[in-house]
Amino acid sequence: MSDPIEVVDNRPRNSEVVPVKESSVNAAWKNFECSTERKKSLQARYVYGFIFLLTNLLAWLIRDYGHKIFPKLYYLKACGVDGLECSRTNGVLRVSLGCCIFFFLMFLTTLKTRKLYEARNAWHSRWWTIKFVLMFISLTIPFFCPSFFIQYYGEVARIGAGIFLLLQLVSVIQFITWWNNYWMPDSKLKQTSILGLFMSTIFYIASTCGLVLMYLLYARRLSCTLNLFFITWTVILFIVMMLISLHSKVNRGLLSSGIMASYIIFLCWSAIRSEPSNSKCSPASEMAGKGDWTTVLGFLFAICAIVMATFSTGIDSQSFQFQRNEVEWEDDIPYKYEFFHAVFSLGAMYFAMLFISWQLDHSTKKWSIDVGWASTWVKIVNEWFAATIYCE
């Protein structure tokens, strides 16, 4: 008989256990790194928003107090006689250009960033010292540019501000659609539908009260024909949107039309509030020459509203995606960096138009923002455009 063949096991001990442990450790470490990078990315949004807020305040200081706070601007050749070309309207445009340059550079350097482990993600979320230096250089360069170049930028800024308003409008409509689907998704969910119906009632009551108040406050006289036209046309849009939402072929529900009605009524109210003080039916005529605390608070609230509108639109890149069913992975960035910075770059043009009331050849009064006939008609057109998009 032949001897039995002895089988020798040459595998190292725990050969099956070690790779499993190593892979689990690597996976846990990778998840930890992704979580850390994601937190830094989300926190970076607020830093950029704070930078944008500081830029808005700088534009206001240069517009109203630039000749007192920044006397050295008088000695720059590009600022002209007494430095007037670097203060007031031109000063706002120069600060806006600097802010636009900074965020446009951030747009170029973060373009097509998709993963948290990419170097461009670190550039977006960290290296703040270098970026603050870059911001300072970007804000300084426009003060050495000739005045005719700043005027050209002002014309471009009008277009950029219009694009920003369009993006903001799309973002608002997408939010209204999401809200309507969240509160009233299905008739089977009775509790959610009841809550949605309650919210619809609140919005419709608030919209009706807003229309009545606008008639009482801003159209008390028949001579206020323009205000009567604005408010009456808003009432017509309000009724049309409600009827379309209730139509059997549309069936959008009352909640979405109620929220949209409140939004267009707010735009109408804001447009009337933007009428210049020399208009006899303007609410600003009663406060002309009064720089009290209500004016200051209104001004500061308007600045905060600009920052919040820019911030909320910048992080809402999903509303502008063509492919909505993309698979998201753990190492994907939480929001589109290039879109975020592009919106802030357009937002720099938008706040410039608000500070100068969309006019390049007139200076605005102190503690005023977005006041003038140009501002009024921009908001009215925005209201009509919003209602048209919703109805379609």
Side-chain angles (χ1 to χ4, degrees):
M1 294 179 62
S2 58
D3 297 333
I5 299 174
E6 183 180 356
V7 179
V8 180
D9 188 2
N10 294 324
R11 292 178 301 175
R13 295 181 179 179
N14 300 328
S15 61
E16 296 181 357
V17 178
V18 173
V20 173
K21 288 184 178 181
E22 290 180 354
S23 61
S24 61
V25 170
N26 291 334
W29 179 252
K30 183 179 180 181
N31 292 336
F32 174 75
E33 287 185 333
C34 290
S35 177
T36 303
E37 291 297 328
R38 184 178 296 271
K39 288 180 181 179
K40 292 181 180 179
S41 175
L42 294 174
Q43 292 172 358
R45 301 177 303 174
Y46 301 102
V47 180
Y48 288 114
F50 181 71
I51 292 174
F52 191 75
L53 173 62
L54 292 180
T55 308
N56 278 260
L57 295 176
L58 178 62
W60 160 64
L61 288 174
I62 289 183
R63 187 196 70 175
D64 293 348
Y65 304 100
H67 59 286
K68 297 179 180 179
I69 301 178
F70 306 103
K72 291 185 180 180
L73 294 178
Y74 298 164
Y75 301 101
L76 295 179
K77 184 178 180 180
C79 292
V81 181
D82 294 332
L84 296 179
E85 297 298 329
C86 291
S87 60
R88 299 175 184 173
T89 298
N90 283 315
V92 171
L93 291 174
R94 292 178 190 272
V95 175
S96 170
L97 176 59
C99 183
C100 182
I101 291 174
F102 172 76
F103 282 106
F104 184 73
L105 291 175
M106 292 302 303
F107 163 77
L108 294 177
T109 53
T110 58
L111 188 64
K112 294 185 178 180
T113 305
R114 293 296 177 264
K115 299 297 181 180
L116 291 170
Y117 53 77
E118 294 183 32
R120 287 174 295 180
N121 174 73
W123 165 244
H124 170 81
S125 305
R126 296 193 290 269
W127 303 94
W128 292 110
T129 302
I130 297 177
K131 281 185 283 191
F132 276 113
V133 173
L134 179 62
M135 183 68 183
F136 177 78
I137 296 174
S138 301
L139 290 174
T140 303
I141 290 176
F143 286 91
F144 293 91
C145 296
S147 298
F148 71 88
F149 181 81
I150 300 300
Q151 290 295 318
Y152 288 148
Y153 168 74
E155 297 293 344
V156 174
R158 283 178 171 174
I159 301 175
I163 297 174
F164 176 83
L165 285 174
L166 180 60
L167 295 177
Q168 184 185 6
L169 178 59
V170 173
S171 179
V172 169
I173 293 177
Q174 289 294 330
F175 173 74
I176 292 174
T177 303
W178 169 85
W179 199 352
N180 181 76
N181 294 335
Y182 181 79
W183 288 113
M184 306 182 71
D186 195 347
S187 58
K188 296 180 181 180
L189 302 177
K190 296 181 179 180
Q191 183 177 2
T192 306
S193 298
I194 292 174
L195 184 58
L197 183 61
F198 173 75
M199 294 298 298
S200 304
T201 306
I202 294 298
F203 276 108
Y204 273 104
I205 292 175
S207 301
T208 304
C209 292
L211 291 171
V212 173
L213 286 176
M214 283 195 294
Y215 272 118
L216 294 177
L217 296 176
Y218 309 136
R220 290 175 292 183
R221 299 186 297 270
L222 293 178
S223 57
C224 299
T225 54
L226 188 59
N227 288 353
L228 281 170
F229 168 71
F230 287 159
I231 301 172
T232 304
W233 188 251
T234 303
V235 172
I236 295 174
L237 294 176
F238 172 71
I239 297 174
V240 169
M241 287 192 303
M242 182 179 64
L243 295 177
I244 290 178
S245 296
L246 293 176
H247 196 277
S248 58
K249 293 183 179 180
V250 179
N251 195 23
R252 288 185 178 178
L254 288 173
L255 181 58
S256 61
S257 61
I259 301 173
M260 196 64 192
S262 301
Y263 180 65
I264 66 170
I265 290 170
F266 167 77
L267 290 176
C268 180
W269 170 81
S270 181
I272 296 176
R273 295 286 299 180
S274 295
E275 293 178 358
S277 58
N278 55 7
S279 175
K280 61 181 179 179
C281 297
S282 169
S285 61
E286 301 176 0
M287 300 298 298
K290 300 180 181 179
D292 57 2
W293 63 273
T294 57
T295 305
V296 175
L297 285 180
F299 177 81
L300 296 177
F301 177 79
I303 291 181
C304 293
I306 296 171
V307 177
M308 288 302 298
T310 307
F311 182 85
S312 60
T313 306
I315 62 177
D316 189 24
S317 58
Q318 294 182 353
S319 298
F320 305 90
Q321 290 181 359
F322 295 101
Q323 297 179 356
R324 299 295 180 86
N325 297 323
E326 296 181 356
V327 179
E328 295 183 0
W329 302 93
E330 292 182 356
D331 57 352
D332 287 345
I333 57 176
Y335 54 95
K336 297 296 186 293
Y337 297 159
E338 65 268 28
F339 180 80
F340 179 82
H341 293 298
V343 169
F344 270 79
S345 183
L346 294 173
M349 301 180 184
Y350 177 66
F351 83 69
M353 291 299 104
L354 296 187
F355 275 112
I356 65 176
S357 299
W358 299 81
Q359 298 181 10
L360 304 179
D361 53 352
H362 294 285
S363 59
T364 55
K365 297 180 179 180
K366 290 184 179 181
W367 296 103
S368 64
I369 185 171
D370 202 19
V371 176
W373 286 117
S375 299
T376 299
W377 281 105
V378 166
K379 293 178 180 178
I380 288 295
V381 172
N382 191 27
E383 174 198 346
W384 296 346
F385 194 59
T388 302
I389 293 179
Y390 177 81
C391 292
E392 290 181 356

